[in-house]
Amino acid sequence: MSKVRTTEEWKALDAKSHLHPFTDFNEHAKTRGRIIERAEHIYIYDTDGNKFLDGMSGLWCCSLGYSQPKIADAVQRQFQQLPYYNNFFQCSNAPAVELADRLVSMAPEQFSHVFFTNSGSEANDTNIRLVRRYWDLQNKPNKRIILSRNNAYHGSTIASASLGGFEFVHNQFEKLHYIEHIVDPNWYKNGGDLSPEEFGIQAARALEKKIDELGEDNIAAFIAEPLQGAGGVIVPPDSYWPEVSRILKARNILFISDEVICGFGRTGQLFGCQTYATEPDLITFAKAVTNGFQPLGGVLVSEKVASVVMASGGEFGHGFTYSGHPIACAAALATLDIMESENITDRVRSDIGPYLQKRWAELAEHPIVGHTRGVGMVGSLELVRNKETRERLAPGQMSGGVCRSNSIASGLVMRAVGDSMIIAPPLICSHAEIDLLIERATNALDKTAEHFKV
Ligand SMILES: Cc1ncc(COP(=O)(O)O)c(C=O)c1O
């Protein structure tokens, strides 16, 4: 149990010894941030006595909010029964077995197996290993290159950060040389004078061009999020995925759908690939599979890939101490039970998702909002000074940070990605809670407009 300390004592101790992920260490040591003390339903509370509506579901993971005693009970029971055992050396455990079977039965029909990890990053590392194995075992050793997209986020290990498409991240380490990036389907930023539909086709054809440039026989796989989350909730134009699917079908390249954000109902279908009618060979999952209450990720493997890697080749030299951890798997089973019994995905598709989208789109009327977009329970908006010219509020992408601070001051956790503001609230929000989210987001936009004198 943590000791009782004052908020200032917590912050001082945090600054003294704790390095935070994706944080400017120097700045944080000075500003000290917030200490989150407890959470309930869709709200988080800090040690300064503030209550926030969590518009980001933690980090896109607490889709069922924070009050889910059935998950806690399942974890507690598993603790008593079998708190740990590994899945190496021909061993397994009941929750891992059940969860693998359950995930396969929920997934699109081409999927037959699951490989467990602790995170989305590790799952994408696993994808690289599986894809390589798949081609090697078919005597195609030249198929090594993996294609990804600018502004993609696929994790933070060396391999998954190489798959990701953030230049500032790549500049901080040696990116793997066999990963190549193409344009992201962000019409607002990259579309110029093209209509969204024209741009969607153009962005998809960048994949075809890259395949021609590098040679189909050298390309192992294409990895993509159904909609790019951490890159700014980049919702592709309607024309994008059909064209990408056409290209992928014509070429002998595996497709990895990274569903770490889109999976488990976020877009109104269980998986984002179902929302966009794509046919992946591998699916990356993590986050909402346990409602964020336990670390768990993994790869759903299609029969096409599984049949090859299982048929021959001996031992697959890859795995983690906590692959298929019984407690994490028990948490996932309880999470999936709740999702099923409360028809969460159907509700996102037919009720709360459309309601959020309707209310979020109204923000486009605000003087500093140039564009809104979203699907299901995710949304983003672009901050601008001039809607016609798309001139930004301030140089150096600083408007997002100002708006985020204003959002926090208004009692809403909204995230900034450059000059975009993004949300991914819990799937269990009521209409009144969405109204409250919109009211607080509007308040943050008003204060930001005032700050930049618009
Ligand atoms: C699409 C996507 N893939 C992979 C990851 C990495 O997951 P993790 O942080 O669990 O390693 C994330 C994390 O946000 C993600 O959004």
Side-chain angles (χ1 to χ4, degrees):
M1 227 18 210
S2 299
K3 287 186 191 166
V4 175
R5 302 180 206 269
T6 66
T7 189
E8 287 318 317
E9 285 168 345
W10 278 120
K11 289 181 187 183
L13 196 58
D14 186 50
K16 179 170 159 272
S17 49
H18 183 188
L19 296 177
H20 292 243
F22 279 91
T23 295
D24 178 333
F25 300 144
N26 186 276
E27 184 197 13
H28 183 253
K30 292 179 202 141
T31 59
R32 302 209 160 171
R34 285 161 284 130
I35 309 282
I36 308 304
E37 190 172 42
R38 68 188 180 89
E40 205 182 298
H41 184 44
I42 61 165
Y43 299 98
I44 54 172
Y45 300 78
D46 70 12
T47 51
D48 290 304
N50 299 307
K51 174 182 178 179
F52 305 97
L53 193 167
D54 183 4
M56 284 305 300
S57 305
L59 206 48
W60 321 84
C61 46
C62 301
S63 289
L64 306 177
Y66 295 94
S67 304
Q68 292 295 351
K70 287 184 182 158
I71 305 177
D73 291 347
V75 164
Q76 182 60 27
R77 277 196 306 276
Q78 189 56 44
F79 234 115
Q80 307 297 334
Q81 172 88 22
L82 177 72
Y84 173 75
Y85 200 71
N86 66 71
N87 287 280
F88 291 49
F89 319 124
Q90 313 280 335
C91 290
S92 199
N93 66 73
V97 175
E98 256 189 64
L99 182 61
D101 184 57
R102 181 120 175 225
L103 288 167
V104 166
S105 67
M106 293 164 63
E109 63 176 3
Q110 69 266 34
F111 290 93
S112 61
H113 288 79
V114 178
F115 192 100
F116 288 117
T117 68
N118 307 293
S119 66
S121 303
E122 290 172 352
N124 280 326
D125 278 35
T126 303
N127 276 322
I128 295 178
R129 301 291 304 275
L130 280 168
V131 158
R132 167 86 171 255
R133 204 79 193 114
Y134 174 81
W135 291 118
D136 279 354
L137 289 171
Q138 294 181 94
N139 290 323
K140 293 201 187 307
N142 290 337
K143 276 175 111 39
R144 287 282 184 265
I145 298 170
I146 300 183
L147 301 180
S148 181
R149 302 179 296 177
N150 299 337
N151 294 307
Y153 188 75
H154 296 298
S156 204
T157 55
I158 296 289
S160 59
S162 296
L163 290 172
F166 290 105
E167 209 178 319
F168 93 94
V169 175
H170 292 164
N171 289 340
Q172 295 182 5
F173 71 104
E174 304 303 320
K175 176 170 94 71
L176 296 180
H177 64 88
Y178 53 83
I179 293 169
E180 298 271 344
H181 293 82
I182 59 169
V183 68
D184 46 324
N186 187 336
W187 170 75
Y188 195 74
K189 282 197 181 144
N190 304 325
D193 293 333
L194 298 178
S195 70
E197 298 323 299
E198 288 166 339
F199 172 70
I201 299 285
Q202 187 190 78
R205 298 228 172 118
L207 175 64
E208 198 164 40
K209 262 191 168 165
K210 199 63 156 181
I211 295 170
D212 289 338
E213 180 194 319
L214 299 171
E216 185 178 320
D217 291 343
N218 299 318
I219 300 173
F222 172 55
I223 184 168
E225 303 155 76
L227 62 84
Q228 287 171 255
V233 180
I234 302 167
V235 179
D238 289 346
S239 58
Y240 181 75
W241 279 117
E243 184 64 2
V244 168
S245 297
R246 179 193 69 74
I247 294 163
L248 288 171
K249 275 213 177 88
R251 308 298 189 121
N252 195 16
I253 291 170
L254 293 174
F255 175 38
I256 306 164
S257 186
D258 184 337
E259 306 258 358
V260 168
I261 286 176
C262 292
F264 305 102
R266 176 72 49 196
T267 65
Q269 299 278 351
L270 259 172
F271 295 97
C273 60
Q274 294 164 318
T275 296
Y276 292 107
T278 61
E279 289 178 20
D281 301 298
L282 297 151
I283 285 180
T284 320
F285 66 88
K287 292 193 189 274
V289 66
T290 60
N291 201 39
F293 288 5
Q294 286 288 303
L296 178 72
V299 177
L300 271 156
V301 184
S302 64
E303 181 58 21
K304 173 176 158 182
V305 174
S307 61
V308 171
V309 298
M310 289 171 76
S312 61
E315 181 174 323
F316 181 50
H318 176 72
F320 304 98
T321 299
Y322 304 118
S323 286
H325 193 293
I327 290 179
C329 292
L333 287 166
T335 301
L336 299 180
D337 282 346
I338 298 166
M339 284 203 67
E340 256 172 48
S341 64
E342 297 186 13
N343 292 320
I344 299 290
T345 305
D346 290 349
R347 184 169 175 269
V348 171
R349 185 170 55 250
S350 58
D351 175 22
I352 201 66
Y355 188 68
L356 172 70
Q357 294 308 323
K358 175 178 153 289
R359 298 283 349 253
W360 187 253
E362 288 166 17
L363 296 177
E365 301 298 316
H366 196 280
I368 61 165
V369 175
H371 178 62
T372 61
R373 52 183 181 256
V375 175
M377 290 295 276
V378 274
S380 65
L381 59 81
E382 300 285 342
L383 298 170
V384 291
R385 179 173 293 279
N386 183 321
K387 289 180 190 244
E388 287 300 307
T389 62
R390 301 183 187 177
E391 182 200 347
R392 294 299 182 173
L393 272 174
Q397 303 197 327
M398 23 158 331
S399 62
V402 171
C403 190
R404 181 187 52 211
S405 300
N406 289 329
S407 183
I408 295 291
S410 306
L412 171 67
V413 178
M414 190 161 51
R415 184 161 150 190
V417 179
D419 294 311
S420 315
M421 300 308 298
I422 63 177
I423 52 151
L427 312 185
I428 53 158
C429 282
S430 66
H431 286 225
E433 285 159 349
I434 295 297
D435 291 342
L436 184 62
L437 182 155
I438 297 294
E439 186 187 312
R440 292 183 180 181
T442 306
N443 197 358
L445 291 168
D446 290 346
K447 287 182 185 155
T448 305
E450 209 174 297
H451 177 97
F452 289 107
K453 303 195 173 23
V454 175

